[in-house]
Structure formats: C-alpha cells, structure tokens
Amino acid sequence: MTLQLGDIAPDFTLESTDGPIHFHEWLGGSWGILFSHPKDFTPVCTTELGAVAKLKPEFDRRNVKVIGLSVDGIDEHHAWKGDIAETQGTALNFPLLADPDREVANLYGMIHPKSLETLTVRSVFVIGPDKKVKLTITYPASTGRNFLEILRVVDSLQLTAKHAVATPVDWRWGEDVIIVPSVSDEDAKSRFPKGWKTVKPYLRVVAQPGV
Ligand code: BEZ
C-alpha cells in the first residue's frame, strides 16, 4: 500500500554506515528526511550525497535528521564513501542504510518496477516529530533532486506547525505568508497582532512570523 501524508512512517531496524539504526528511536523528537537512491557507485547518486552532506548544517539548524538508503550492501556503502569524499569535496556525514533484502524499500514503496525493475527510485519522505509523513516526492533515477527545494519545504512545514500559516506559490524564507483558513479572524487577531491584509476573505496575507 502506498504511504500517504499523515500516515505514521513505518519503524524498522537496519544496518547503516553509522551502525544499526532503530528508526523511530534514532529520530527521537526530531524531524527526519529519509531518501532513497538507486545504486552505489553511480554518478547522479554520488552528486546527491555530496550535496546533502554539504547541506547538513542547514538540516541540523532546523532540527532535521537526514538518512539515505539504497539496496546495496554495507560493504559497498563503506567503499563508496571514499569516492564521495574524493569527488564531492565532503565526507559522508549522515548515515546511509544498507537494504539488500529490500525490507525498507518495500515498506516505503521505494521500488517502482515499471521505472527501475529492482532498484529504488529517488524517493523522499519528510517526517515530523510526531513520526507522521509530511511530504513525499518521487524522482526518476535520471534526475538528481534539488535539496534546496526540500529545505524550502521543511521551512514551510515548520512554519505551518508553529504559526498556523501556509506558504504561497514559490514562497521563499522572509516573504509574506498566508493565514490558514481554519484560523478565524478573531483568532488571527491574537496570533498576528500587527495585522494582516485581507485580499479576499479566504486569502489573508501576513508578514512571515519569526523573522
Ligand atoms: C545515477 O545515479 O547516476 C543513476 C543510477 C541509476 C540509474 C541511472 C542513473
């Protein structure tokens, strides 16, 4: 069954480059990003893991733990780390899960046989501190992901969780946001004491809280 937004992210225990991971315990009270890539020693995957390693301080700042997965074994993962450091100019600084038995890949629906017969495609799951799935994205093997976009989505999700605002199209950090429809004008007065602009009764624009 496909994992849907709002579902509890399935728990698992699996070997990783940082040792065994008990997923829910490892997440603790943090946000999490679990992402799969098709195969070790492949070009696009090598660039992606380097990019995520470079962005690690940004994920840390947002209280987000990142973890990768492929259906290769732990020995391949360890051997590949040297290539990532050599070619991407950064060490792998987050765990990479080894799932040769496709246990987690199947649990999370990361194998799309009509796209890639036996390997994982480029799935992304953003998981909240409540362990619920907040975002899913699926890319084909041939397209490297934009992890800056994933950071942007995390910012949006965290703003929604904290301030009951939504973010409009192409929103970037610091730009105006939208008061969610479930907040009444009466509630909005206490949440946004500096006021907001009512473009339509359902479209209320407010300065981004927390900047
Ligand atoms: C890559 O990472 O470059 C890749 C992996 C599997 C299929 C196609 C490309």
Side-chain angles (χ1 to χ4, degrees):
M1 207 180 77
T2 313
L3 266 183
Q4 298 190 333
L5 303 189
D7 286 346
I8 295 287
D11 197 15
F12 58 82
T13 297
L14 206 60
E15 191 59 53
S16 86
T17 47
D18 290 2
I21 298 276
H22 307 288
F23 189 52
H24 281 192
E25 189 186 316
W26 176 82
L27 283 170
S30 300
W31 290 71
I33 296 181
L34 169 63
F35 67 101
S36 58
H37 66 89
K39 193 156 183 54
D40 295 3
F41 301 104
T42 51
V44 176
C45 298
T46 303
T47 62
E48 283 194 328
L49 294 195
V52 175
K54 285 180 188 156
L55 286 174
K56 176 90 171 5
E58 291 298 321
F59 289 113
D60 289 346
R61 206 158 63 76
R62 291 162 173 81
N63 190 29
V64 179
K65 291 185 171 181
V66 287
I67 189 162
L69 174 146
S70 81
V71 294
D72 288 306
I74 196 69
D75 292 343
E76 283 114 312
H77 281 6
H78 281 299
W80 188 32
K81 277 163 61 176
D83 286 3
I84 294 168
E86 182 191 326
T87 62
Q88 305 305 305
T90 175
L92 186 73
N93 52 10
F94 57 91
L96 200 51
L97 294 158
D99 191 19
D101 296 331
R102 294 164 172 70
E103 188 191 321
V104 174
N106 286 327
L107 203 54
Y108 277 77
M110 293 165 167
I111 296 180
H112 297 207
K114 290 176 195 143
S115 177
L116 261 189
E117 202 175 343
T118 54
L119 304 176
T120 38
V121 292
R122 299 188 195 281
S123 302
V124 183
F125 297 87
V126 177
I127 298 158
D130 56 3
K131 310 282 187 295
K132 289 185 180 167
V133 175
K134 305 295 182 190
L135 171 94
T136 64
I137 314 179
T138 308
Y139 276 49
S142 52
T143 305
R145 285 159 284 202
N146 182 336
F147 283 91
L148 290 174
E149 165 61 6
I150 293 167
L151 271 178
R152 191 189 74 91
V153 176
V154 167
D155 283 339
S156 171
L157 289 167
Q158 293 188 340
L159 273 178
T160 303
K162 199 165 173 192
H163 297 290
V165 292
T167 55
V169 60
D170 294 337
W171 170 84
R172 289 184 178 279
W173 182 263
E175 293 177 357
D176 286 351
V177 296
I178 290 167
I179 302 171
V180 296
S182 58
V183 171
S184 66
D185 280 351
E186 203 49 41
D187 287 349
K189 281 181 199 158
S190 54
R191 283 180 181 274
F192 311 104
K194 290 186 186 153
W196 63 89
K197 182 178 166 198
T198 302
V199 182
K200 290 278 178 190
Y202 58 83
L203 176 51
R204 296 167 296 171
V205 177
V206 69
Q208 181 194 318
V211 284

